[in-house]
Amino acid sequence: MHQVTLTGRLFGVRAMGKRLAFATLRCPDKEYLCVFQGRPEAPEESIVRITGQVKPSEKSKKFAEELHVSLVEVISANSSISTAQLKQVAYNKDILPNQHIYMRLPETRDRLLKKWTAIKAIRDLMAAESYVEVQSPRIVGRMTDGPTMKFKVDFFGRDAYLTLSNLLFHTAFTAGDFSSVFEISPLFRADINHSSQHLSEFLILEATSAYRGREEMMELSNRVVRMVCGHTDAQLADKHLADIPVVTYEEMCAITEKYDCSPLVRGGRIKRYHAEAVGRHLGRKLFWAVDLPAKHKAFFSSTRYEPTADAHVANDFRLYWDEVDLIDGGERVTDPARLLERLAEQSLDPQHFAYYLDVLKSGVPPLVGFGMGIDRLMVKCLNLSNVRQVVPFPRFVGHFEP
Amino acid sequence: MHQVTLTGRLFGVRAMGKRLAFATLRCPDKEYLCVFQGRPEAPEESIVRITGQVKPSEKSKKFAEELHVSLVEVISANSSISTAQLKQVAYNKDILPNQHIYMRLPETRDRLLKKWTAIKAIRDLMAAESYVEVQSPRIVGRMTDGPTMKFKVDFFGRDAYLTLSNLLFHTAFTAGDFSSVFEISPLFRADINHSSQHLSEFLILEATSAYRGREEMMELSNRVVRMVCGHTDAQLADKHLADIPVVTYEEMCAITEKYDCSPLVRGGRIKRYHAEAVGRHLGRKLFWAVDLPAKHKAFFSSTRYEPTADAHVANDFRLYWDEVDLIDGGERVTDPARLLERLAEQSLDPQHFAYYLDVLKSGVPPLVGFGMGIDRLMVKCLNLSNVRQVVPFPRFVGHFEP
């Protein structure tokens, strides 16, 4: 038995008759069971400094020791709502203004910690694979040209934009002989999309490697996904992560014809219900889609039989988990003449990509790369319904406060 | 002696008479000395595939083995300038359009690799100190109110801004009981500043810790700076990193009076020449400035003798290396009433900080935090003159391409 003074957040106050009360004190290192004579004179979930005697706990299963309180000082009073009140509410938009309180709930804390430590684990894995993390700019200019909606930034009176992808810069880094690079960073998309999987600002892993091909990059992607699933204790039968099946776009067209959904017509975009049907057909949660129509891929994607014959099939890969696409990647055009053709196919102005052409003209090794939506992957691993549940301050149409 | 086929960048071609030529082949894993019969038929710095015989090197000191070339295939021709041409040029703005070629120079490669691996080392150090890396949004709203110039983003027709600091969000995370958080991320400042230490988009380490005070945070900062200096082989006598002296603002005023510069007048801002004079007086490259006027610090900074008496001295710390401030930090206001006073002192609209006030009203532990400019620290460690030298695609007034 010894006296201590501890500072932390007081919560879960339970009165035992009029004379006794219990509560939990959450300190940075651990939580303590507190025993009060009478009810503590501090609003629940305030930051308090408690002085008392530590004794072995008599009844608690959770705590080995109890803190018998002699003095409570309120350091910072809670005059707001409590987690107990928030706990009654299902996750929805109304949570957002109380995000800081919502984070105190053990289940919220657990999923955010899993996400944040998973990101560290991805960085460690990429470093172990000899990838170096670079930094591309968030503010970019004409290289954002394309069909994707972008956010405009007033850059000292001129129109700049928030970046849509780091991959064009990664090509420049590999041209600079950094042969394996990656980046975990936010990207920005200004499309009006109200889906539960969509944010205007979202976190992505993007990687590019020189002197490697599609199969090697799919293998690396597999290792990342498997590691994150393990790290987050994703509830997923082993078979779903072992030998993830590879399905061509052609095969997807054939499979969806058999199912009770409007089939994937050759040349058409893969919709969520197509992906779902294919996964159901395979009996697998995850599968790779490859050989998509090149017109659905970014202009810098190379095509499967380049530069001859069938230039319309991309040399690409895309990972689906149920109906959600988590990874999108492929090999890249390195020939400047072929890039001009690809730009023309997508009605893009070559002048906007003059720098990218300069990069290719300087001699660029064979390239492959991918992007993986980290928020989306977390939603799947943690079996959540909405991507906002893993992003404390999400940005979406009409929402940028706080 | 065995035959190999290798793909890489061919550079440094040296003819030895008409019959022989040497060159270097840079592959992702290592560099090879190549021996050609005649001059290789490939533009210098192209990506080539070389077939040849490996033999022990007879004359080279750098390479143990030589590759005697029988076949050269050009994979991607360089039709641009070479590093040899760029090497003649001192670092200036004209380098930027050729950044990808400039990166091939060993000295550029070395400093970028040092920066990128230092960032990984900082993340590892912070994780070892039990800090978790969080993500705050880049797109923010009214909480960017203040004297610092900011970039406006058109967010679906409404005015949003690029973030000036993550620290306000860090306060929210600590209110959510994540007691030690950090973030390495880009920040944005739209002030028109042409100094060699200034960028519109720059990388920063920001950290916040609950239940800790100024001294502990200065100690952590010291550990980070020392580690980065070691990691980058900074040429700095040991004494400069051991027991970095702490100087109050008052003392800085007194010291600068003795020097041949316009002295630091009480209440005035610390200029670069003031910092330089103090460092010279101390005989030290690095020193901590503390107890600055609170009016020079952000509204969320607490004051030294809060909440009574002399409310005009901040409970802060700032690290100078020569004339450059690398770290700025301090303890934070946690009392909502005091925050309203601080907002009023700085003529800021409390309505813009309604969320931040909500956070404080929910009960916030004692807080301290700091920001450290990573690009600036690298410039000092690597003894460079311009912060753009460690940022391949820098953004500054009038410059956002490529």
Side-chain angles (χ1 to χ4, degrees), chain A residues 9 26 76 79 100 104 109 120 124 138-139 142 175-177 201 355 361-364 395 401, chain B residues 9 26 76 79 100 104 109 120 124 138-139 142 175-177 201 355 361-364 395 401:
Chain A
R9 189 179 307 280
R26 178 182 292 159
S76 177
S79 59
H100 51 291
R104 294 175 194 164
R109 180 181 183 81
K120 173 85 172 83
D124 291 343
R138 299 303 93 198
I139 298 173
R142 292 176 302 172
D177 288 344
E201 176 177 346
Y355 175 71
K361 285 175 193 163
S362 78
V364 168
R395 271 68 183 112
E401 299 275 5
Chain B
R9 190 179 305 281
R26 179 181 289 158
S76 176
S79 59
H100 51 291
R104 295 174 193 165
R109 181 182 182 80
K120 173 83 172 83
D124 291 344
R138 299 304 92 198
I139 298 172
R142 294 176 301 173
D177 287 345
E201 176 176 345
Y355 175 69
K361 285 175 193 163
S362 77
V364 169
R395 270 68 183 115
E401 298 276 5

Side-chain angles (χ1 to χ4, degrees), chain A residues 43-59:
Chain A
E44 212 167 325
E45 298 190 20
S46 297
I47 301 294
V48 297
R49 182 162 48 224
I50 287 185
T51 304
Q53 304 280 337
V54 177
K55 297 178 188 173
S57 182
E58 286 166 22
K59 290 177 185 167

Side-chain angles (χ1 to χ4, degrees), chain A residues 7-9 11 26-29 45-47 75-81 96-101 103-104 108-110 112-113 115-117 119-120 123-124 127 132-143 150-156 158-162 169 172-179 181 184 186 188-192 200-201 203 210-211 334-336 352 355 358-366 375 392-393 395-402, chain B residues 7-9 11 26-29 45-47 75-81 96-101 103-104 108-110 112-113 115-117 119-120 123-124 127 132-143 150-156 158-162 169 172-179 181 184 186 188-192 200-201 203 210-211 334-336 352 355 358-366 392-393 395-402:
Chain A
T7 307
R9 189 179 307 280
F11 67 97
R26 178 182 292 159
C27 296
D29 53 344
E45 298 190 20
S46 297
I47 301 294
I75 302 292
S76 177
N78 174 30
S79 59
S80 188
I81 62 164
L96 297 179
N98 293 307
Q99 190 64 246
H100 51 291
I101 296 165
M103 281 190 259
R104 294 175 194 164
T108 316
R109 180 181 183 81
D110 178 63
L112 288 176
L113 270 182
K115 174 183 170 182
W116 293 332
T117 53
I119 292 167
K120 173 85 172 83
R123 286 196 157 103
D124 291 343
V132 63
E133 185 163 9
V134 296
Q135 281 92 38
S136 306
R138 299 303 93 198
I139 298 173
V140 282
R142 292 176 302 172
M143 284 208 298
K150 58 206 178 186
F151 290 109
K152 192 160 79 181
V153 178
D154 176 353
F155 195 79
F156 301 107
R158 288 166 67 196
D159 286 351
Y161 303 94
L162 292 180
F169 292 98
F173 288 121
T174 53
D177 288 344
F178 291 99
S179 54
V181 298
I184 295 181
F188 310 87
R189 303 267 165 97
D191 40 339
I192 295 172
S200 304
E201 176 177 346
L203 201 67
Y211 307 105
T334 55
D335 175 15
H352 288 199
Y355 175 71
D358 280 351
V359 168
L360 297 197
K361 285 175 193 163
S362 78
V364 168
D375 303 317
F393 300 99
R395 271 68 183 112
F396 48 90
V397 185
H399 188 91
F400 62 97
E401 299 275 5
Chain B
T7 307
R9 190 179 305 281
F11 66 98
R26 179 181 289 158
C27 296
D29 53 344
E45 298 190 19
S46 296
I47 301 294
I75 302 290
S76 176
N78 174 30
S79 59
S80 187
I81 63 165
L96 298 179
N98 293 306
Q99 190 64 247
H100 51 291
I101 296 165
M103 281 190 256
R104 295 174 193 165
T108 315
R109 181 182 182 80
D110 178 63
L112 288 177
L113 270 182
K115 176 183 169 182
W116 293 333
T117 53
I119 292 167
K120 173 83 172 83
R123 285 196 157 106
D124 291 344
V132 64
E133 185 162 9
V134 295
Q135 281 92 38
S136 305
R138 299 304 92 198
I139 298 172
V140 283
R142 294 176 301 173
M143 285 208 297
K150 59 206 177 186
F151 290 109
K152 193 159 81 180
V153 178
D154 175 354
F155 195 81
F156 301 106
R158 289 166 67 194
D159 286 351
Y161 304 94
L162 291 180
F169 293 99
F173 288 120
T174 54
D177 287 345
F178 291 99
S179 54
V181 298
I184 295 182
F188 309 87
R189 303 269 163 96
D191 39 340
I192 295 174
S200 303
E201 176 176 345
L203 201 67
Y211 307 105
T334 55
D335 175 14
H352 288 199
Y355 175 69
D358 279 350
V359 169
L360 298 196
K361 285 175 193 163
S362 77
V364 169
F393 300 99
R395 270 68 183 115
F396 49 91
V397 184
H399 188 91
F400 62 97
E401 298 276 5

Side-chain angles (χ1 to χ4, degrees), chain A residues 259-300:
Chain A
Y259 277 81
D260 188 22
C261 63
S262 61
L264 177 55
V265 179
R266 275 156 192 83
R269 285 197 177 270
I270 301 170
K271 303 276 185 191
R272 301 193 146 217
Y273 52 82
H274 296 137
E276 213 168 20
V278 172
R280 213 161 51 228
H281 171 82
L282 299 166
R284 299 291 285 251
K285 303 285 281 181
L286 289 92
F287 72 91
W288 287 105
V290 298
D291 295 354
L292 264 65
K295 64 180 175 182
H296 297 176
K297 307 290 292 189
F299 71 92
F300 55 79

